[in-house]
Amino acid sequence: FQDVPWPLLVEVISLEDLTKEGILEFVAHGDRPGLRNKDLNSRARADLLRWHPDKFSQKVMKKVSENDKAMVQEGATKLVNLLTGLL
């Protein structure tokens, strides 16, 4: 779980670390390559595409140990819901 590159500026240790405030801080950060001149909605959409459940399952979940799969999947679902809430 901790090795997933969650879109936050702080270390993510547990599901409780995935907060709306933390994700907003990351999405709105001014130094994100390729997103510097984009508005908040465009940035959130870009992150939603990156974290889309199908894409996430294909690219990340196959690398996650069986012991962590449930927690990582729950984190990804929470993240998508929080990103959707930013739109």
Side-chain angles (χ1 to χ4, degrees):
F1 182 84
Q2 295 172 344
D3 293 334
V4 174
W6 301 107
L8 276 89
L9 299 176
V10 297
E11 184 178 14
V12 177
I13 297 171
S14 69
L15 289 169
E16 289 75 32
D17 295 328
L18 295 172
T19 64
K20 182 178 181 180
E21 295 79 17
I23 292 169
L24 178 59
E25 181 181 19
F26 178 85
V27 170
H29 195 277
D31 288 336
R32 294 183 64 200
L35 297 174
R36 288 188 179 107
N37 297 322
K38 304 288 184 182
D39 65 9
L40 186 62
N41 280 344
S42 297
R43 291 167 176 249
R45 275 192 207 99
D47 286 322
L48 273 171
L49 290 174
R50 185 172 291 121
W51 289 89
H52 188 277
D54 291 338
K55 185 179 279 190
F56 184 79
S57 290
Q58 290 175 351
K59 292 189 174 194
V60 177
M61 289 304 289
K62 64 183 178 182
K63 297 176 184 179
V64 175
S65 71
E66 286 298 320
N67 294 339
D68 292 333
K69 281 192 180 203
M71 188 173 174
V72 170
Q73 187 62 54
E74 188 176 345
T77 301
K78 182 177 181 179
L79 175 63
V80 167
N81 289 336
L82 290 169
L83 285 168
T84 301
L86 294 178
L87 295 176

